Amino acid sequence: MDSFARKLPPAFFARDTLAVARALIGTYLVHRYRGRVRIGRIVETEAYLGPRDRAAHSSRGRTARTEVMFGQPGHAYVYFIYGMWHCLNVVAARAGTPHAVLLRALEPVEGITARSCGPGLLCRAMRIDRRFNGIDLSGDVLWLSPGVAPARPVRIGRSPRIGVEYAGEWAQRPWRFFDRDSDCISRPSN
DNA sequence: GGCACGATTGCT
DNA sequence: GCAATCGTGCCT
């Protein structure tokens, strides 16, 4: 646990969103709640670059739901989908630019007892729901950590994003990033 | 107030 | 291939 107490600094998120999505691969998501600690290693992400990117929720403008994406980088955007799943995003870039990075898969490290590969399963395994929407991800409940130095360099793969065919030309952008050596990514295409 | 649909998942 | 299940955005 001590290895995961360090947090990614605000500057990590306040830069180009594709760089953030790529750099998040190999970092750790930590949730501490009532003495319980759940930790997962991030192995799959997707960048959403609204409002221009038609696959991004923020492409429809500033609404109650998308409000946090227009705010501070490093905060959580959590939404509810298909009547049963939550998805966790990290707000990136700068305030006023509604970009976010969807966390799609985690390798279990500590305290995770359910499958965590896939954005919905990730939230269920980490016990994340809309109560976390808008929180600062460098706080003391849910945070991102650089963890320990990797034994070997992370090999990054890229592909188009999953499930956004409706977004036309934007669906083809290779804005999905994953750890090529992980067997825990949510779908093949690597 | 009504309605179509979704950054998913698991079962057929 | 498709059902489950409901918040959101958009229309009336």
Side-chain angles (χ1 to χ4, degrees), chain A residues 49-129:
Chain A
L49 279 56
R52 292 187 62 221
D53 170 13
R54 300 298 285 172
H57 290 170
S58 54
S59 70
R60 304 291 164 189
R62 195 166 185 156
T63 67
R65 181 175 66 147
T66 61
E67 181 64 27
V68 299
M69 274 195 279
F70 289 81
Q72 291 301 316
H75 286 224
Y77 166 50
V78 181
Y79 64 88
F80 185 64
I81 190 76
Y82 298 121
M84 60 185 93
W85 304 101
H86 296 277
C87 292
L88 171 65
N89 295 249
V90 181
V91 177
R94 66 177 77 76
T97 300
H99 289 190
V101 176
L102 172 66
L103 304 188
R104 290 189 57 90
L106 296 179
E107 285 178 352
V109 172
E110 181 180 328
I112 294 181
T113 54
R115 280 170 300 167
S116 54
C117 303
L121 294 175
L122 180 158
C123 282
R124 193 168 70 179
M126 289 293 282
R127 304 293 197 273
I128 292 165
D129 60 33

Side-chain angles (χ1 to χ4, degrees), chain A residues 5-188:
Chain A
R6 258 172 71 224
K7 292 162 186 169
L8 296 179
F12 182 95
F13 309 100
R15 54 177 163 149
D16 174 78
T17 303
L18 294 177
V20 174
R22 181 189 182 98
L24 279 171
I25 302 297
T27 66
Y28 297 81
L29 180 65
V30 185
H31 182 194
R32 184 167 60 193
Y33 176 67
R34 293 166 109 171
R36 259 190 124 78
V37 177
R38 300 175 205 273
I39 304 173
R41 179 174 177 274
I42 297 170
V43 294
E44 183 184 350
T45 62
E46 283 177 357
Y48 287 86
L49 279 56
R52 292 187 62 221
D53 170 13
R54 300 298 285 172
H57 290 170
S58 54
S59 70
R60 304 291 164 189
R62 195 166 185 156
T63 67
R65 181 175 66 147
T66 61
E67 181 64 27
V68 299
M69 274 195 279
F70 289 81
Q72 291 301 316
H75 286 224
Y77 166 50
V78 181
Y79 64 88
F80 185 64
I81 190 76
Y82 298 121
M84 60 185 93
W85 304 101
H86 296 277
C87 292
L88 171 65
N89 295 249
V90 181
V91 177
R94 66 177 77 76
T97 300
H99 289 190
V101 176
L102 172 66
L103 304 188
R104 290 189 57 90
L106 296 179
E107 285 178 352
V109 172
E110 181 180 328
I112 294 181
T113 54
R115 280 170 300 167
S116 54
C117 303
L121 294 175
L122 180 158
C123 282
R124 193 168 70 179
M126 289 293 282
R127 304 293 197 273
I128 292 165
D129 60 33
R130 278 181 305 174
R131 290 174 297 185
F132 292 86
N133 190 43
I135 70 163
D136 182 347
L137 286 172
S138 61
D140 294 323
V141 177
L142 186 66
W143 68 91
L144 290 151
S145 173
V148 291
R152 68 184 88 165
V154 180
R155 298 193 308 139
I156 306 286
R158 291 182 71 158
S159 83
R161 295 168 294 180
I162 303 296
V164 296
E165 292 73 18
Y166 61 85
E169 58 174 306
W170 296 96
Q172 298 159 35
R173 305 291 179 109
W175 290 351
R176 172 176 179 245
F177 299 84
F178 53 89
D179 179 345
R180 292 174 59 193
D181 296 307
S182 176
D183 56 3
C184 180
I185 59 177
S186 65
R187 295 197 195 192

